Amino acid sequence: MGNRAPLLLVVATIALLLWSTAGLRGRRRIPTTLDGPFEPVTVPLDGRVARGNAVDLPDSDFRLQRKVTGLEPEQISVSLSATEDSVWISWVTDLRPGTKYYYQCGDPSIPAMSAVHVFRTMPASGPKRYPKRIAVIGDLGLTYNSTSTVDHMASNKPDLILLVGDVTYANLYLTNGSGSDCYSCSFPETPIHETFQPRWDYWGRYMEPVISEIPIMVVEGNHEIEQQAENKTFVSYSSRFAFPSKESESFSTFYYSFNAGGIHFIMLGAYISYNKSGEQYRWLERDLEMVDRTVTPWLIATWHPPWYSTYKAHYREAECMRVEMEELLYCYGVDIVFNGHVHAYERSNRVYNYSLDPCGPVYITVGDGGNREKMAVNHADDPGGCPDPLTTPDEYMGGFCAFNFTSGPAAGQFCWDRQPEYSAYRESSFGHGILEVKNETHALWTWHRNQDLYNSAGDEIYIVRQPDKCPTKPITFRNTSI
């Protein structure tokens, strides 16, 4: 880590009376989840931001080129370890929480050293210590829309970045570097070929100025599968990022957990067994049992495909995962769930088993980072928009669990005939989200559209925990049919 002494900062904590927000930032009162459940809102499609496919940055773009010479390091990034006193760069070392550190990577004997970078460790775990801002992005890719998302996100000065799957979309490029929107279609009579790995290099070079100084935590998406010879999958994902798998006792790059101040994050894998009899589920049970809510009051989970999305694209695709895992997360009081996969934005009311529930999580889909695939604009509840149930099973995991609903407004149907009551806000636009946890019970969530001014919010709400009304309880298996 070098010999330079760390810079210590003393941060003053200002108590906030979050329920008195009428004058906050000089604008309208920001609602809280206690004001809900809210009437469903769908923002009309903005033709300025829905013009078909986004355009990938070309190989020749200056932001993708090597900026180093010889053997000097590049594509540097910082990731968190499971605890606040260590990070992953290319190694793990003991560090002090809430402290600024300078570092270089490379081998001085060659010499081949990177520039000097700086990052700040997370605050120590505790109910009154939180990262100031956490950025959440999904389905990013490397298009001009992606760069707008990253620029907007960086302007909000986050202390931590969560990338909820689908990183580079390298699997949309053939081995020779040419693009292909249907990779497997290019080889109908031959075994799968490796995807174009330089796209990972391009992405790493472009992102280095941001993620070399702001820790980024990643969970796998379907575009990271990248099936290779000998049935190898997720090789680039597992090799190019660091994960606190050993520290969180998962020993897997597909699911792990870590703390950031008073928040316990659980990163789950949707493309590995999630059945109750599987290792991931057993690990999740053990991890949840060890969470001390007096130390980390907030419990946040993330995985790639959403359980609660009302868009036609990927509608109820992850239903089997929901059937297996939802009750466990509910019983342990998960507060917020972040997902990607659907290329649009949607925020739910608190929900459990498709019913409004004041103790259920708030589900937020942010799969709108800016990748080259089309934006999701059609809803399953649009006239004629309900997909054929046989088209909805996940292509990779298989299985079919999305049967017709047995109760509620959609009883006997596969889709609602209107925006479901659990869907609070949805909009098709590229953007990113910022989470600001204020204290043990209040967190401000804002979603920022790329086409807006940098300091504007397209959606904002205070997410309020009620631990006295929603205590965690042991898991009890019961019928979860819907």
Short mmCIF file of all heavy atoms in Angstrom, two decimals, residues 353-378:
data_model
loop_
_atom_site.label_atom_id
_atom_site.label_comp_id
_atom_site.label_asym_id
_atom_site.label_seq_id
_atom_site.Cartn_x
_atom_site.Cartn_y
_atom_site.Cartn_z
N ASN A 353 -45.09 -11.86 -1.45
CA ASN A 353 -45.97 -12.83 -2.12
C ASN A 353 -47.05 -12.13 -2.95
O ASN A 353 -48.22 -12.51 -2.93
CB ASN A 353 -46.61 -13.76 -1.09
CG ASN A 353 -47.17 -15.02 -1.73
OD1 ASN A 353 -46.66 -15.48 -2.74
ND2 ASN A 353 -48.21 -15.58 -1.13
N TYR A 354 -46.65 -11.08 -3.66
CA TYR A 354 -47.51 -10.31 -4.56
C TYR A 354 -48.61 -9.52 -3.84
O TYR A 354 -49.52 -8.99 -4.49
CB TYR A 354 -48.13 -11.20 -5.64
CG TYR A 354 -47.14 -11.65 -6.68
CD1 TYR A 354 -46.60 -12.92 -6.63
CD2 TYR A 354 -46.73 -10.80 -7.70
CE1 TYR A 354 -45.68 -13.35 -7.58
CE2 TYR A 354 -45.82 -11.21 -8.66
CZ TYR A 354 -45.28 -12.49 -8.59
OH TYR A 354 -44.38 -12.90 -9.52
N SER A 355 -48.54 -9.43 -2.53
CA SER A 355 -49.53 -8.67 -1.77
C SER A 355 -48.85 -7.53 -1.03
O SER A 355 -47.71 -7.67 -0.57
CB SER A 355 -50.25 -9.57 -0.76
OG SER A 355 -50.92 -10.63 -1.42
N LEU A 356 -49.54 -6.41 -0.90
CA LEU A 356 -49.00 -5.30 -0.13
C LEU A 356 -48.78 -5.75 1.31
O LEU A 356 -49.65 -6.36 1.92
CB LEU A 356 -49.95 -4.11 -0.17
CG LEU A 356 -50.20 -3.47 -1.54
CD1 LEU A 356 -51.19 -2.33 -1.42
CD2 LEU A 356 -48.89 -2.98 -2.14
N ASP A 357 -47.61 -5.45 1.84
CA ASP A 357 -47.25 -5.89 3.19
C ASP A 357 -46.31 -4.85 3.79
O ASP A 357 -45.23 -4.60 3.25
CB ASP A 357 -46.55 -7.25 3.13
CG ASP A 357 -46.38 -7.89 4.50
OD1 ASP A 357 -45.92 -7.17 5.42
OD2 ASP A 357 -46.67 -9.09 4.66
N PRO A 358 -46.69 -4.19 4.89
CA PRO A 358 -45.85 -3.13 5.46
C PRO A 358 -44.50 -3.62 5.95
O PRO A 358 -43.62 -2.80 6.20
CB PRO A 358 -46.70 -2.59 6.62
CG PRO A 358 -47.62 -3.71 6.98
CD PRO A 358 -47.92 -4.41 5.69
N CYS A 359 -44.32 -4.93 6.07
CA CYS A 359 -43.04 -5.47 6.52
C CYS A 359 -42.25 -6.10 5.38
O CYS A 359 -41.16 -6.65 5.61
CB CYS A 359 -43.26 -6.51 7.62
SG CYS A 359 -44.01 -5.83 9.12
N GLY A 360 -42.77 -6.06 4.18
CA GLY A 360 -42.04 -6.58 3.03
C GLY A 360 -40.97 -5.62 2.57
O GLY A 360 -40.97 -4.44 2.92
N PRO A 361 -40.01 -6.08 1.76
CA PRO A 361 -38.98 -5.18 1.23
C PRO A 361 -39.54 -4.23 0.19
O PRO A 361 -40.60 -4.47 -0.40
CB PRO A 361 -37.96 -6.15 0.59
CG PRO A 361 -38.32 -7.51 1.07
CD PRO A 361 -39.78 -7.48 1.36
N VAL A 362 -38.83 -3.15 -0.05
CA VAL A 362 -39.04 -2.31 -1.22
C VAL A 362 -38.13 -2.85 -2.31
O VAL A 362 -36.91 -2.97 -2.11
CB VAL A 362 -38.70 -0.83 -0.93
CG1 VAL A 362 -38.76 -0.01 -2.21
CG2 VAL A 362 -39.64 -0.26 0.12
N TYR A 363 -38.70 -3.22 -3.45
CA TYR A 363 -37.94 -3.77 -4.57
C TYR A 363 -37.70 -2.67 -5.59
O TYR A 363 -38.64 -1.99 -6.02
CB TYR A 363 -38.69 -4.92 -5.22
CG TYR A 363 -38.74 -6.18 -4.38
CD1 TYR A 363 -39.68 -6.32 -3.36
CD2 TYR A 363 -37.85 -7.22 -4.59
CE1 TYR A 363 -39.73 -7.47 -2.59
CE2 TYR A 363 -37.89 -8.38 -3.83
CZ TYR A 363 -38.83 -8.49 -2.83
OH TYR A 363 -38.87 -9.63 -2.05
N ILE A 364 -36.43 -2.50 -5.99
CA ILE A 364 -36.06 -1.44 -6.93
C ILE A 364 -35.28 -2.06 -8.09
O ILE A 364 -34.25 -2.70 -7.88
CB ILE A 364 -35.23 -0.36 -6.24
CG1 ILE A 364 -36.05 0.30 -5.12
CG2 ILE A 364 -34.76 0.69 -7.25
CD1 ILE A 364 -35.26 1.30 -4.30
N THR A 365 -35.80 -1.88 -9.30
CA THR A 365 -35.13 -2.36 -10.51
C THR A 365 -34.43 -1.20 -11.19
O THR A 365 -35.06 -0.19 -11.51
CB THR A 365 -36.14 -3.00 -11.48
OG1 THR A 365 -36.76 -4.12 -10.85
CG2 THR A 365 -35.46 -3.46 -12.76
N VAL A 366 -33.10 -1.35 -11.39
CA VAL A 366 -32.31 -0.29 -12.02
C VAL A 366 -31.49 -0.88 -13.17
O VAL A 366 -30.30 -0.65 -13.29
CB VAL A 366 -31.37 0.41 -11.00
CG1 VAL A 366 -32.14 1.33 -10.10
CG2 VAL A 366 -30.60 -0.61 -10.19
N GLY A 367 -32.16 -1.65 -14.03
CA GLY A 367 -31.46 -2.25 -15.17
C GLY A 367 -31.36 -1.32 -16.34
O GLY A 367 -31.44 -1.75 -17.50
N ASP A 368 -31.17 -0.03 -16.04
CA ASP A 368 -31.24 1.00 -17.09
C ASP A 368 -29.92 1.74 -17.23
O ASP A 368 -29.90 2.94 -17.49
CB ASP A 368 -32.37 2.00 -16.77
CG ASP A 368 -32.23 2.62 -15.38
OD1 ASP A 368 -31.43 2.13 -14.57
OD2 ASP A 368 -32.93 3.62 -15.11
N GLY A 369 -28.81 1.02 -17.06
CA GLY A 369 -27.51 1.67 -17.10
C GLY A 369 -27.11 2.21 -18.46
O GLY A 369 -26.33 3.15 -18.55
N GLY A 370 -27.62 1.60 -19.55
CA GLY A 370 -27.32 2.16 -20.86
C GLY A 370 -26.74 1.21 -21.88
O GLY A 370 -26.14 1.63 -22.86
N ASN A 371 -26.91 -0.11 -21.69
CA ASN A 371 -26.32 -1.09 -22.61
C ASN A 371 -26.93 -1.00 -24.00
O ASN A 371 -27.92 -0.30 -24.22
CB ASN A 371 -26.50 -2.50 -22.04
CG ASN A 371 -27.96 -2.92 -22.05
OD1 ASN A 371 -28.49 -3.34 -23.05
ND2 ASN A 371 -28.61 -2.75 -20.91
N ARG A 372 -26.35 -1.77 -24.93
CA ARG A 372 -26.72 -1.64 -26.34
C ARG A 372 -28.04 -2.32 -26.68
O ARG A 372 -28.60 -2.09 -27.75
CB ARG A 372 -25.62 -2.23 -27.23
CG ARG A 372 -25.40 -3.72 -27.04
CD ARG A 372 -24.33 -4.26 -27.99
NE ARG A 372 -24.87 -4.44 -29.33
CZ ARG A 372 -24.15 -4.92 -30.34
NH1 ARG A 372 -22.88 -5.23 -30.16
NH2 ARG A 372 -24.68 -5.08 -31.54
N GLU A 373 -28.57 -3.16 -25.79
CA GLU A 373 -29.85 -3.79 -26.06
C GLU A 373 -30.99 -2.79 -25.88
O GLU A 373 -30.84 -1.75 -25.25
CB GLU A 373 -30.03 -4.99 -25.14
CG GLU A 373 -29.05 -6.12 -25.43
CD GLU A 373 -29.30 -7.34 -24.57
OE1 GLU A 373 -29.59 -7.17 -23.37
OE2 GLU A 373 -29.20 -8.45 -25.10
N LYS A 374 -32.14 -3.12 -26.40
CA LYS A 374 -33.26 -2.19 -26.38
C LYS A 374 -33.75 -1.90 -24.96
O LYS A 374 -33.70 -2.76 -24.09
CB LYS A 374 -34.42 -2.74 -27.20
CG LYS A 374 -34.16 -2.78 -28.70
CD LYS A 374 -35.38 -3.29 -29.45
CE LYS A 374 -35.13 -3.30 -30.95
NZ LYS A 374 -36.30 -3.82 -31.70
N MET A 375 -34.23 -0.70 -24.76
CA MET A 375 -34.86 -0.33 -23.51
C MET A 375 -36.21 -1.04 -23.41
O MET A 375 -36.91 -1.24 -24.41
CB MET A 375 -35.06 1.18 -23.45
CG MET A 375 -35.64 1.70 -22.17
SD MET A 375 -35.86 3.50 -22.26
CE MET A 375 -34.15 4.00 -22.37
N ALA A 376 -36.58 -1.45 -22.20
CA ALA A 376 -37.89 -2.04 -21.98
C ALA A 376 -38.94 -0.94 -21.91
O ALA A 376 -38.83 -0.02 -21.09
CB ALA A 376 -37.90 -2.85 -20.69
N VAL A 377 -39.95 -1.01 -22.76
CA VAL A 377 -40.98 0.04 -22.80
C VAL A 377 -42.38 -0.52 -22.68
O VAL A 377 -43.33 0.24 -22.41
CB VAL A 377 -40.87 0.87 -24.10
CG1 VAL A 377 -39.52 1.57 -24.17
CG2 VAL A 377 -41.07 -0.01 -25.33
N ASN A 378 -42.57 -1.81 -22.85
CA ASN A 378 -43.89 -2.42 -22.82
C ASN A 378 -44.14 -3.10 -21.47
O ASN A 378 -43.23 -3.71 -20.90
CB ASN A 378 -44.04 -3.44 -23.95
CG ASN A 378 -43.88 -2.82 -25.32
OD1 ASN A 378 -44.46 -1.77 -25.59
ND2 ASN A 378 -43.11 -3.46 -26.18
#
